[in-house]
Amino acid sequence: MTAFPLTWLYAPGDRPHVVAKALTAGADIVVVDLEDAIAPDRKAYARAATAELLTEQPPVPVHVRVNALDSPWAGQDLATLTPARGLCALRLPKIGSPAEVVRIARHAVPAGLPLYAVLETALGVEQAYAVATAHPSLRGVSLGETDLRADLGGCDDEGLDWSRSRVIVAARAAGLPPPAQSVHPDVRDLEGLAASCAHGRALGFLGRAAIHPRQLPVIERAFLPTEEEIERAETIVKAAATHQGAQALPDGRFIDTAVVTAAQRTLSLARRR
């Protein structure tokens, strides 16, 4: 897996043929969903089909979004899937407290599984930093914006920016990677997806979840540095290599350690191009 995953493609666990296509669609990570995408009478089949898939190592890393901890299915999801050889990580929906992460970690830690918490309620957002620091196995946090909109009363897109920023800051304060942006639900609106990704990148997201393969190249382009950004980063890194400490470049830009670190990350991302 790339050090900077940018695309996280969801696929419903009760449709193995869709999961198989997702595994070859070019996403950095495939997320097999056992939760919202699956009807109650299909939960057991989705779980069994996913466990069968993960008896072997898949061609790309696979995360599984299990059912919420307070649901009737979560316990069986964890018992069945945590031993799976091909499982890379668990995604935990509707997390509202650090205690929930700790409870799930009891199942995940013996298997060495990383955990990713999805915050989908006002309570989850309020608990963002506590969740992000709840357990060493937690490797990331993100927003589930569809559920969050419902919990907040159907706020518009701009109304979610405070919650987005809070989760981004909580992740970074906890030493976790920048979160991936939540899904863009209209799979045909690629222009809207690109604009939304640009806004998310400006806020501090890195990468995005997708629900259709056609969204993947749009997301990747949006989060990769431009030629201008790469050139600027190369200039900064070269200047830092020849002169230690803060300095002003010939064009007037001031650089210090933080600026150099950001430039190095830009060049690391640029290698994906």
Side-chain angles (χ1 to χ4, degrees):
M1 183 181 71
T2 175
F4 295 102
L6 297 181
T7 50
W8 313 62
L9 179 60
Y10 275 84
D14 65 339
R15 300 174 67 187
H17 65 289
V18 175
V19 176
K21 289 181 179 179
L23 291 172
T24 61
D28 293 324
I29 294 170
V30 170
V31 183
V32 179
D33 191 16
L34 302 184
E35 196 220 7
D36 282 349
I38 312 300
D41 63 353
R42 298 277 290 176
K43 297 283 189 183
Y45 172 71
R47 183 190 307 119
T50 302
E52 182 177 354
L53 165 76
L54 296 174
T55 56
E56 300 294 335
Q57 198 70 40
V60 297
V62 170
H63 294 194
V64 172
R65 181 167 73 171
V66 295
N67 285 282
L69 192 58
D70 62 355
S71 74
W73 309 286
Q76 193 59 50
D77 288 348
L78 295 170
T80 301
L81 293 170
T82 50
R85 177 171 174 262
L87 180 61
C88 184
L90 293 173
R91 296 188 70 80
L92 316 178
K94 299 179 176 62
I95 293 296
S97 73
E100 293 173 328
V101 175
V102 173
R103 285 174 60 189
I104 295 174
R106 294 177 187 145
H107 297 270
V109 168
L113 287 172
L115 305 176
Y116 291 79
V118 186
L119 310 179
E120 304 181 66
T121 63
L123 178 60
V125 173
E126 283 295 307
Q127 294 284 319
Y129 180 71
V131 168
T133 55
H135 195 276
S137 292
L138 193 77
R139 304 296 170 79
V141 293
S142 61
L143 274 181
E145 293 187 359
T146 300
D147 284 74
L148 182 60
R149 286 180 196 275
D151 193 39
L152 296 178
C155 63
D156 62 15
D157 197 64
E158 289 184 1
L160 290 179
D161 277 355
W162 183 87
S163 298
R164 292 164 175 157
S165 294
R166 184 174 180 118
V167 172
I168 291 165
V169 171
R172 302 306 291 138
L176 299 176
Q181 197 172 357
S182 186
V183 299
H184 185 73
D186 187 341
V187 299
R188 290 175 290 188
D189 179 25
L190 299 184
E191 289 186 7
L193 170 62
S196 177
C197 287
H199 179 62
R201 184 184 178 196
L203 288 174
F205 288 113
L206 181 63
R208 188 164 197 167
I211 52 175
H212 194 283
R214 69 166 61 101
Q215 296 178 316
L216 299 177
V218 178
I219 294 169
E220 185 159 16
R221 281 196 303 271
F223 285 96
L224 284 176
T226 64
E227 294 292 344
E228 182 181 352
E229 289 169 334
I230 294 170
E231 183 178 348
R232 187 184 309 126
E234 288 174 339
T235 300
I236 291 169
V237 171
K238 185 180 295 185
T242 58
H243 179 81
Q244 298 297 313
Q247 60 180 299
L249 298 181
D251 62 7
R253 284 179 293 158
F254 180 82
I255 66 171
D256 58 11
T257 301
V259 174
V260 174
T261 299
Q264 290 169 336
R265 190 179 82 169
T266 295
L267 296 180
S268 293
L269 277 168
R271 296 188 187 105
R272 291 177 56 114
R273 296 167 65 96

